[in-house]
Amino acid sequence: MTMTDGLDIVAVIGSLRRESLTRKLVTALATLAPPSLRIELLGVGDLDLYDEDLEAALPEPWRAFRERIRRADGVLFATPEYNRSIPGVLKNAIDVGSRPYGESVWAGKPAAVLSVSPGALGAFGANHHLRQCLVFLDMPTLQQPEAYVGHANELLDPGGNFVDGAKREWLRQFLRAFEGWVSRQRIPLPT
Ligand code: FNR
């Protein structure tokens, strides 16, 4: 994407649940983004479980996923916490994007992590387990502000609007910081 279109951000959603708090939050978050930042949600539920044998007959969902990430200017990982780590479906998506060896679509792509939980700790464990992967994948990842979203079941009204203006503004600031980060780190696509 060109700068005139704004930055193209893919939000990878680590939950498959229809009523996912994580997806609802990112949907609301996308409405807070400045015009210079376009956020598109990307599900991971259609990706075959990673099996290197499948590289010989590439599953279409793998191809499409890799291509979408490759085109993006940045990646926002939005994840719930399962047993103090990331859900297996998100790890699978990370693995799919990372191969074939030497052709990872993640490499060099600016990223941010938004961890989401109805609990008080804001999925801190998932956030930091994910960061361990991002180090290895060579994704320059926004450090501050850290985004541990707790009590996520109380954030939005039934219409998907933020209940608390202060939390909404905090998330807007997070997006601004991410926009600045992606602008500074962005690698132009080869022509
Ligand atoms: C959870 N949940 C959970 N929450 C948390 O804060 N820390 C945790 O370690 C776990 N572990 C966990 C394991 C499994 C298998 C499930 C199904 C759930 C609760 C979790 O935060 C809650 O279900 C969220 O609503 C999941 O996010 P979505 O699907 O609403 O986006």
Short mmCIF file of all heavy atoms in Angstrom, two decimals, residues 58-107:
data_model
loop_
_atom_site.label_atom_id
_atom_site.label_comp_id
_atom_site.label_asym_id
_atom_site.label_seq_id
_atom_site.Cartn_x
_atom_site.Cartn_y
_atom_site.Cartn_z
N LEU A 58 0.30 -26.77 -1.44
CA LEU A 58 -0.01 -25.67 -0.53
C LEU A 58 -1.52 -25.48 -0.32
O LEU A 58 -2.24 -25.23 -1.29
CB LEU A 58 0.59 -24.39 -1.12
CG LEU A 58 0.80 -23.23 -0.16
CD1 LEU A 58 1.81 -23.59 0.92
CD2 LEU A 58 1.25 -22.01 -0.95
N PRO A 59 -2.00 -25.59 0.91
CA PRO A 59 -3.43 -25.32 1.15
C PRO A 59 -3.74 -23.86 0.81
O PRO A 59 -2.95 -22.96 1.15
CB PRO A 59 -3.59 -25.57 2.65
CG PRO A 59 -2.41 -26.39 3.06
CD PRO A 59 -1.30 -25.99 2.14
N GLU A 60 -4.86 -23.62 0.16
CA GLU A 60 -5.23 -22.26 -0.25
C GLU A 60 -5.28 -21.30 0.94
O GLU A 60 -4.79 -20.16 0.85
CB GLU A 60 -6.56 -22.30 -1.02
CG GLU A 60 -7.15 -20.94 -1.35
CD GLU A 60 -6.20 -20.00 -2.10
OE1 GLU A 60 -5.26 -20.48 -2.76
OE2 GLU A 60 -6.42 -18.77 -2.01
N PRO A 61 -5.84 -21.70 2.09
CA PRO A 61 -5.86 -20.76 3.21
C PRO A 61 -4.44 -20.34 3.66
O PRO A 61 -4.23 -19.19 4.07
CB PRO A 61 -6.58 -21.53 4.33
CG PRO A 61 -7.42 -22.53 3.60
CD PRO A 61 -6.60 -22.92 2.40
N TRP A 62 -3.49 -21.25 3.58
CA TRP A 62 -2.10 -20.88 3.92
C TRP A 62 -1.58 -19.83 2.94
O TRP A 62 -1.00 -18.83 3.32
CB TRP A 62 -1.16 -22.09 3.83
CG TRP A 62 -1.25 -23.08 4.94
CD1 TRP A 62 -2.24 -23.21 5.87
CD2 TRP A 62 -0.29 -24.11 5.22
NE1 TRP A 62 -1.96 -24.25 6.71
CE2 TRP A 62 -0.79 -24.83 6.33
CE3 TRP A 62 0.90 -24.50 4.63
CZ2 TRP A 62 -0.09 -25.91 6.88
CZ3 TRP A 62 1.59 -25.58 5.16
CH2 TRP A 62 1.11 -26.28 6.28
N ARG A 63 -1.82 -20.09 1.64
CA ARG A 63 -1.32 -19.17 0.62
C ARG A 63 -1.92 -17.78 0.83
O ARG A 63 -1.23 -16.76 0.82
CB ARG A 63 -1.67 -19.70 -0.78
CG ARG A 63 -0.97 -18.98 -1.92
CD ARG A 63 -1.75 -19.03 -3.22
NE ARG A 63 -3.09 -18.48 -3.11
CZ ARG A 63 -3.38 -17.19 -3.03
NH1 ARG A 63 -2.43 -16.30 -3.08
NH2 ARG A 63 -4.63 -16.78 -2.89
N ALA A 64 -3.25 -17.73 1.03
CA ALA A 64 -3.94 -16.45 1.18
C ALA A 64 -3.47 -15.72 2.45
O ALA A 64 -3.26 -14.50 2.43
CB ALA A 64 -5.45 -16.67 1.23
N PHE A 65 -3.28 -16.47 3.52
CA PHE A 65 -2.83 -15.87 4.78
C PHE A 65 -1.44 -15.26 4.61
O PHE A 65 -1.19 -14.11 4.97
CB PHE A 65 -2.82 -16.93 5.88
CG PHE A 65 -2.43 -16.42 7.23
CD1 PHE A 65 -3.34 -15.74 8.03
CD2 PHE A 65 -1.14 -16.62 7.72
CE1 PHE A 65 -2.98 -15.25 9.29
CE2 PHE A 65 -0.77 -16.14 8.97
CZ PHE A 65 -1.69 -15.47 9.75
N ARG A 66 -0.55 -16.03 4.03
CA ARG A 66 0.82 -15.53 3.84
C ARG A 66 0.82 -14.28 2.96
O ARG A 66 1.52 -13.31 3.23
CB ARG A 66 1.69 -16.63 3.20
CG ARG A 66 2.01 -17.76 4.16
CD ARG A 66 2.67 -18.93 3.46
NE ARG A 66 3.02 -20.00 4.40
CZ ARG A 66 3.44 -21.19 4.05
NH1 ARG A 66 3.55 -21.52 2.76
NH2 ARG A 66 3.74 -22.09 4.95
N GLU A 67 0.02 -14.32 1.91
CA GLU A 67 -0.02 -13.20 0.98
C GLU A 67 -0.57 -11.95 1.67
O GLU A 67 -0.07 -10.84 1.49
CB GLU A 67 -0.88 -13.56 -0.24
CG GLU A 67 -0.99 -12.49 -1.30
CD GLU A 67 0.36 -11.91 -1.73
OE1 GLU A 67 1.36 -12.64 -1.70
OE2 GLU A 67 0.39 -10.71 -2.07
N ARG A 68 -1.61 -12.12 2.50
CA ARG A 68 -2.20 -10.96 3.18
C ARG A 68 -1.20 -10.32 4.14
O ARG A 68 -1.08 -9.10 4.23
CB ARG A 68 -3.47 -11.39 3.95
CG ARG A 68 -4.18 -10.23 4.62
CD ARG A 68 -4.70 -9.24 3.58
NE ARG A 68 -5.18 -8.01 4.17
CZ ARG A 68 -4.44 -6.90 4.31
NH1 ARG A 68 -3.17 -6.89 3.89
NH2 ARG A 68 -4.95 -5.82 4.85
N ILE A 69 -0.48 -11.17 4.87
CA ILE A 69 0.52 -10.62 5.81
C ILE A 69 1.66 -9.96 5.02
O ILE A 69 2.12 -8.88 5.39
CB ILE A 69 1.10 -11.73 6.73
CG1 ILE A 69 -0.01 -12.38 7.55
CG2 ILE A 69 2.21 -11.18 7.61
CD1 ILE A 69 -0.70 -11.49 8.55
N ARG A 70 2.06 -10.58 3.93
CA ARG A 70 3.16 -10.03 3.14
C ARG A 70 2.84 -8.61 2.67
O ARG A 70 3.70 -7.74 2.65
CB ARG A 70 3.45 -10.96 1.95
CG ARG A 70 4.78 -10.70 1.27
CD ARG A 70 5.09 -11.70 0.18
NE ARG A 70 5.61 -12.95 0.71
CZ ARG A 70 5.04 -14.14 0.58
NH1 ARG A 70 3.91 -14.27 -0.08
NH2 ARG A 70 5.58 -15.22 1.10
N ARG A 71 1.58 -8.36 2.30
CA ARG A 71 1.18 -7.05 1.78
C ARG A 71 1.05 -5.99 2.87
O ARG A 71 1.03 -4.80 2.58
CB ARG A 71 -0.18 -7.17 1.07
CG ARG A 71 -0.11 -7.69 -0.33
CD ARG A 71 -1.43 -7.47 -1.05
NE ARG A 71 -2.49 -8.31 -0.56
CZ ARG A 71 -3.62 -7.88 0.02
NH1 ARG A 71 -3.84 -6.59 0.17
NH2 ARG A 71 -4.53 -8.72 0.43
N ALA A 72 0.90 -6.42 4.12
CA ALA A 72 0.59 -5.48 5.20
C ALA A 72 1.81 -4.63 5.57
O ALA A 72 2.95 -5.06 5.45
CB ALA A 72 0.11 -6.25 6.42
N ASP A 73 1.51 -3.41 6.05
CA ASP A 73 2.58 -2.57 6.57
C ASP A 73 2.92 -2.93 8.01
O ASP A 73 4.02 -2.65 8.47
CB ASP A 73 2.15 -1.09 6.52
CG ASP A 73 1.98 -0.60 5.09
OD1 ASP A 73 2.88 -0.85 4.27
OD2 ASP A 73 0.95 0.03 4.80
N GLY A 74 1.96 -3.50 8.72
CA GLY A 74 2.20 -3.86 10.12
C GLY A 74 1.16 -4.86 10.59
O GLY A 74 0.13 -5.05 9.95
N VAL A 75 1.47 -5.50 11.71
CA VAL A 75 0.59 -6.55 12.24
C VAL A 75 0.27 -6.24 13.71
O VAL A 75 1.17 -6.02 14.52
CB VAL A 75 1.27 -7.94 12.16
CG1 VAL A 75 0.35 -9.02 12.73
CG2 VAL A 75 1.64 -8.27 10.71
N LEU A 76 -1.03 -6.24 14.00
CA LEU A 76 -1.48 -6.13 15.38
C LEU A 76 -1.96 -7.51 15.81
O LEU A 76 -2.92 -8.05 15.26
CB LEU A 76 -2.64 -5.12 15.47
CG LEU A 76 -3.34 -5.03 16.83
CD1 LEU A 76 -2.40 -4.53 17.91
CD2 LEU A 76 -4.57 -4.11 16.74
N PHE A 77 -1.25 -8.11 16.76
CA PHE A 77 -1.67 -9.40 17.29
C PHE A 77 -2.63 -9.14 18.45
O PHE A 77 -2.25 -8.47 19.42
CB PHE A 77 -0.48 -10.21 17.80
CG PHE A 77 0.42 -10.71 16.70
CD1 PHE A 77 1.57 -10.02 16.35
CD2 PHE A 77 0.11 -11.88 16.01
CE1 PHE A 77 2.41 -10.48 15.34
CE2 PHE A 77 0.94 -12.35 15.00
CZ PHE A 77 2.09 -11.65 14.66
N ALA A 78 -3.85 -9.65 18.33
CA ALA A 78 -4.82 -9.49 19.41
C ALA A 78 -5.13 -10.88 19.94
O ALA A 78 -5.65 -11.73 19.21
CB ALA A 78 -6.09 -8.83 18.88
N THR A 79 -4.79 -11.11 21.19
CA THR A 79 -4.88 -12.49 21.68
C THR A 79 -5.53 -12.62 23.05
O THR A 79 -5.25 -11.84 23.96
CB THR A 79 -3.48 -13.15 21.72
OG1 THR A 79 -3.62 -14.53 22.09
CG2 THR A 79 -2.53 -12.45 22.69
N PRO A 80 -6.37 -13.65 23.19
CA PRO A 80 -6.77 -14.06 24.53
C PRO A 80 -5.63 -14.84 25.18
O PRO A 80 -4.59 -15.07 24.54
CB PRO A 80 -7.97 -14.99 24.29
CG PRO A 80 -8.17 -15.09 22.83
CD PRO A 80 -6.98 -14.50 22.16
N GLU A 81 -5.86 -15.25 26.40
CA GLU A 81 -4.89 -16.09 27.11
C GLU A 81 -5.52 -17.44 27.39
O GLU A 81 -6.63 -17.51 27.94
CB GLU A 81 -4.49 -15.41 28.43
CG GLU A 81 -3.48 -16.21 29.24
CD GLU A 81 -2.96 -15.39 30.41
OE1 GLU A 81 -3.63 -15.38 31.47
OE2 GLU A 81 -1.91 -14.76 30.27
N TYR A 82 -4.82 -18.48 27.01
CA TYR A 82 -5.24 -19.85 27.36
C TYR A 82 -4.13 -20.44 28.22
O TYR A 82 -2.99 -20.60 27.75
CB TYR A 82 -5.41 -20.70 26.09
CG TYR A 82 -6.73 -20.53 25.34
CD1 TYR A 82 -7.65 -19.55 25.68
CD2 TYR A 82 -7.04 -21.38 24.29
CE1 TYR A 82 -8.85 -19.41 24.98
CE2 TYR A 82 -8.23 -21.26 23.58
CZ TYR A 82 -9.14 -20.27 23.93
OH TYR A 82 -10.31 -20.14 23.23
N ASN A 83 -4.48 -20.74 29.45
CA ASN A 83 -3.51 -21.39 30.36
C ASN A 83 -2.18 -20.65 30.39
O ASN A 83 -1.11 -21.23 30.22
CB ASN A 83 -3.36 -22.87 29.98
CG ASN A 83 -4.69 -23.58 30.08
OD1 ASN A 83 -5.35 -23.52 31.11
ND2 ASN A 83 -5.14 -24.21 28.99
N ARG A 84 -2.31 -19.33 30.56
CA ARG A 84 -1.17 -18.42 30.71
C ARG A 84 -0.27 -18.36 29.46
O ARG A 84 0.90 -17.99 29.54
CB ARG A 84 -0.33 -18.77 31.94
CG ARG A 84 -1.06 -18.58 33.25
CD ARG A 84 -1.19 -17.10 33.61
NE ARG A 84 -1.84 -16.90 34.89
CZ ARG A 84 -3.13 -16.53 35.04
NH1 ARG A 84 -3.89 -16.31 33.99
NH2 ARG A 84 -3.63 -16.35 36.23
N SER A 85 -0.84 -18.76 28.32
CA SER A 85 -0.08 -18.66 27.07
C SER A 85 -1.06 -18.25 25.96
O SER A 85 -2.18 -17.85 26.24
CB SER A 85 0.60 -20.00 26.76
OG SER A 85 1.42 -19.88 25.61
N ILE A 86 -0.60 -18.36 24.71
CA ILE A 86 -1.49 -18.00 23.61
C ILE A 86 -2.29 -19.23 23.16
O ILE A 86 -1.82 -20.37 23.29
CB ILE A 86 -0.70 -17.41 22.41
CG1 ILE A 86 0.36 -18.37 21.88
CG2 ILE A 86 -0.10 -16.08 22.77
CD1 ILE A 86 1.05 -17.89 20.60
N PRO A 87 -3.49 -19.02 22.63
CA PRO A 87 -4.25 -20.16 22.10
C PRO A 87 -3.48 -20.86 20.99
O PRO A 87 -2.75 -20.23 20.21
CB PRO A 87 -5.52 -19.49 21.55
CG PRO A 87 -5.66 -18.22 22.33
CD PRO A 87 -4.25 -17.75 22.56
N GLY A 88 -3.70 -22.18 20.90
CA GLY A 88 -3.01 -22.97 19.88
C GLY A 88 -3.28 -22.47 18.47
O GLY A 88 -2.41 -22.53 17.60
N VAL A 89 -4.49 -21.95 18.23
CA VAL A 89 -4.81 -21.49 16.88
C VAL A 89 -3.94 -20.31 16.46
O VAL A 89 -3.58 -20.18 15.28
CB VAL A 89 -6.30 -21.10 16.72
CG1 VAL A 89 -7.19 -22.34 16.76
CG2 VAL A 89 -6.74 -20.09 17.77
N LEU A 90 -3.58 -19.48 17.42
CA LEU A 90 -2.71 -18.35 17.08
C LEU A 90 -1.29 -18.83 16.83
O LEU A 90 -0.62 -18.40 15.88
CB LEU A 90 -2.74 -17.30 18.20
CG LEU A 90 -1.84 -16.08 17.97
CD1 LEU A 90 -2.17 -15.37 16.65
CD2 LEU A 90 -1.95 -15.10 19.14
N LYS A 91 -0.84 -19.78 17.65
CA LYS A 91 0.50 -20.32 17.44
C LYS A 91 0.58 -20.99 16.07
O LYS A 91 1.60 -20.87 15.35
CB LYS A 91 0.85 -21.31 18.55
CG LYS A 91 2.26 -21.91 18.45
CD LYS A 91 3.33 -20.82 18.52
CE LYS A 91 4.72 -21.38 18.77
NZ LYS A 91 5.16 -22.37 17.82
N ASN A 92 -0.51 -21.68 15.69
CA ASN A 92 -0.53 -22.32 14.38
C ASN A 92 -0.38 -21.28 13.27
O ASN A 92 0.39 -21.48 12.32
CB ASN A 92 -1.83 -23.11 14.21
CG ASN A 92 -1.88 -23.87 12.91
OD1 ASN A 92 -0.98 -24.67 12.62
ND2 ASN A 92 -2.89 -23.61 12.09
N ALA A 93 -1.10 -20.17 13.40
CA ALA A 93 -1.02 -19.11 12.37
C ALA A 93 0.40 -18.55 12.30
O ALA A 93 0.92 -18.27 11.21
CB ALA A 93 -2.02 -18.01 12.69
N ILE A 94 1.01 -18.39 13.44
CA ILE A 94 2.39 -17.88 13.46
C ILE A 94 3.32 -18.87 12.74
O ILE A 94 4.16 -18.47 11.93
CB ILE A 94 2.83 -17.65 14.92
CG1 ILE A 94 2.09 -16.42 15.48
CG2 ILE A 94 4.34 -17.47 15.03
CD1 ILE A 94 2.24 -16.22 16.96
N ASP A 95 3.12 -20.15 13.01
CA ASP A 95 3.96 -21.16 12.37
C ASP A 95 3.73 -21.19 10.85
O ASP A 95 4.69 -21.27 10.07
CB ASP A 95 3.68 -22.54 12.98
CG ASP A 95 4.07 -22.62 14.45
OD1 ASP A 95 4.86 -21.77 14.91
OD2 ASP A 95 3.56 -23.52 15.15
N VAL A 96 2.47 -21.09 10.45
CA VAL A 96 2.16 -21.09 9.01
C VAL A 96 2.87 -19.93 8.30
O VAL A 96 3.46 -20.09 7.23
CB VAL A 96 0.62 -21.02 8.78
CG1 VAL A 96 0.29 -20.68 7.33
CG2 VAL A 96 -0.04 -22.32 9.20
N GLY A 97 2.82 -18.75 8.93
CA GLY A 97 3.45 -17.57 8.30
C GLY A 97 4.96 -17.64 8.29
O GLY A 97 5.61 -16.93 7.51
N SER A 98 5.52 -18.46 9.14
CA SER A 98 6.98 -18.46 9.31
C SER A 98 7.74 -19.35 8.32
O SER A 98 8.96 -19.34 8.28
CB SER A 98 7.32 -18.92 10.73
OG SER A 98 7.09 -20.32 10.87
N ARG A 99 7.00 -20.12 7.55
CA ARG A 99 7.64 -21.11 6.66
C ARG A 99 7.22 -20.91 5.22
O ARG A 99 6.20 -20.24 4.99
CB ARG A 99 7.27 -22.53 7.14
CG ARG A 99 7.84 -22.89 8.49
CD ARG A 99 9.27 -23.31 8.38
NE ARG A 99 10.03 -23.01 9.58
CZ ARG A 99 11.16 -23.64 9.90
NH1 ARG A 99 11.63 -24.62 9.16
NH2 ARG A 99 11.84 -23.28 10.95
N PRO A 100 7.86 -21.41 4.19
CA PRO A 100 9.07 -22.24 4.23
C PRO A 100 10.26 -21.47 4.83
O PRO A 100 10.28 -20.24 4.81
CB PRO A 100 9.34 -22.56 2.76
CG PRO A 100 8.09 -22.24 2.03
CD PRO A 100 7.39 -21.20 2.82
N TYR A 101 11.20 -22.23 5.31
CA TYR A 101 12.38 -21.65 5.94
C TYR A 101 13.02 -20.62 5.02
O TYR A 101 13.22 -20.86 3.83
CB TYR A 101 13.40 -22.75 6.26
CG TYR A 101 14.61 -22.22 6.99
CD1 TYR A 101 14.53 -21.86 8.34
CD2 TYR A 101 15.82 -22.05 6.33
CE1 TYR A 101 15.62 -21.34 9.00
CE2 TYR A 101 16.93 -21.54 6.99
CZ TYR A 101 16.82 -21.18 8.33
OH TYR A 101 17.90 -20.66 8.98
N GLY A 102 13.27 -19.46 5.58
CA GLY A 102 13.89 -18.39 4.79
C GLY A 102 12.88 -17.51 4.07
O GLY A 102 13.26 -16.51 3.47
N GLU A 103 11.60 -17.88 4.12
CA GLU A 103 10.58 -17.08 3.42
C GLU A 103 9.48 -16.60 4.37
O GLU A 103 8.34 -16.39 3.95
CB GLU A 103 9.95 -17.91 2.29
CG GLU A 103 10.91 -18.28 1.19
CD GLU A 103 10.28 -19.19 0.15
OE1 GLU A 103 9.08 -19.03 -0.14
OE2 GLU A 103 11.00 -20.07 -0.35
N SER A 104 9.83 -16.45 5.63
CA SER A 104 8.83 -16.02 6.61
C SER A 104 8.22 -14.68 6.22
O SER A 104 8.93 -13.73 5.88
CB SER A 104 9.49 -15.88 7.99
OG SER A 104 8.63 -15.21 8.88
N VAL A 105 6.89 -14.61 6.30
CA VAL A 105 6.23 -13.34 5.97
C VAL A 105 6.27 -12.37 7.16
O VAL A 105 5.90 -11.20 7.02
CB VAL A 105 4.75 -13.55 5.54
CG1 VAL A 105 4.70 -14.32 4.23
CG2 VAL A 105 3.92 -14.24 6.61
N TRP A 106 6.71 -12.86 8.29
CA TRP A 106 6.76 -12.01 9.49
C TRP A 106 8.02 -11.15 9.55
O TRP A 106 8.02 -10.09 10.18
CB TRP A 106 6.70 -12.87 10.74
CG TRP A 106 5.56 -13.83 10.85
CD1 TRP A 106 5.65 -15.19 10.90
CD2 TRP A 106 4.15 -13.53 10.95
NE1 TRP A 106 4.40 -15.76 11.03
CE2 TRP A 106 3.47 -14.76 11.06
CE3 TRP A 106 3.41 -12.34 10.95
CZ2 TRP A 106 2.08 -14.84 11.18
CZ3 TRP A 106 2.04 -12.43 11.08
CH2 TRP A 106 1.38 -13.65 11.18
N ALA A 107 9.08 -11.62 8.92
CA ALA A 107 10.40 -11.02 9.13
C ALA A 107 10.41 -9.53 8.82
O ALA A 107 10.04 -9.11 7.72
CB ALA A 107 11.44 -11.74 8.29
#
